[in-house]
Amino acid sequence: MASTEASLKEAMTSIEGTIGIALVDYSSGMALGTLGGGKDLDLNVAAAGNTDVVRAKVRALEHLGLNDEIEDILITLGSQYHLIRLLKGRNSNGLFLYLALDRNRSNLAMARHQLKSIEAGLEV
């Protein structure tokens, strides 16, 4: 099992095209850890904003009566992909990984696969 810091570093180095990554608590909207980002991508602001996205989708599933879980949420921009992966398992309820990718330098399918692998090894 890897720590938050080690998992974020793994994502930055192993997922091609990563701009930034954050571990976020969507009950509070706070980032528990961030790596990358910069002046064009404030990961703390992104964490808070994407918390609203996750909460809205959870509510929509409830209203629709769908007995299913969100695996991930993809937001496609002109130059970036933003991937939100809700964590499953013990001690990770209410958390998600937020990954921002450069669309020209990334492979979305591989990024999803690698993020799932990182999630499996993450110990919170």
Side-chain angles (χ1 to χ4, degrees), residues 42-118:
D42 183 327
L43 290 170
N44 289 305
V45 172
N50 284 295
T51 292
D52 292 337
V53 172
V54 170
R55 288 177 184 162
K57 192 59 189 172
V58 167
R59 273 193 315 274
L61 287 178
E62 289 171 359
H63 291 309
L64 291 169
L66 296 175
N67 188 21
D68 211 342
E69 295 179 338
I70 299 168
E71 190 171 316
D72 56 32
I73 300 168
L74 172 64
I75 300 165
T76 306
L77 304 177
S79 63
Q80 296 177 1
Y81 294 124
H82 291 206
L83 188 58
I84 300 167
R85 181 160 185 88
L86 278 68
L87 274 59
K88 312 263 185 299
R90 211 177 85 230
N91 299 327
S92 61
N93 195 23
L95 302 178
F96 67 88
L97 285 167
Y98 166 73
L99 178 68
L101 299 164
D102 180 318
R103 191 170 170 165
N104 294 321
R105 297 185 305 118
S106 62
N107 177 317
L108 184 56
M110 282 302 296
R112 289 185 69 221
H113 176 73
Q114 290 170 296
L115 195 59
K116 183 178 182 179
S117 176
I118 290 167

Side-chain angles (χ1 to χ4, degrees), residues 34-47:
T34 63
L35 196 59
K39 70 177 183 81
D40 294 331
L41 179 63
D42 183 327
L43 290 170
N44 289 305
V45 172

Side-chain angles (χ1 to χ4, degrees), residues 1-5 7 23 90-91 118-124:
M1 296 302 238
S3 69
T4 299
E5 183 179 339
S7 294
L23 176 64
R90 211 177 85 230
N91 299 327
I118 290 167
E119 173 202 357
L122 176 63
E123 183 173 307
V124 182

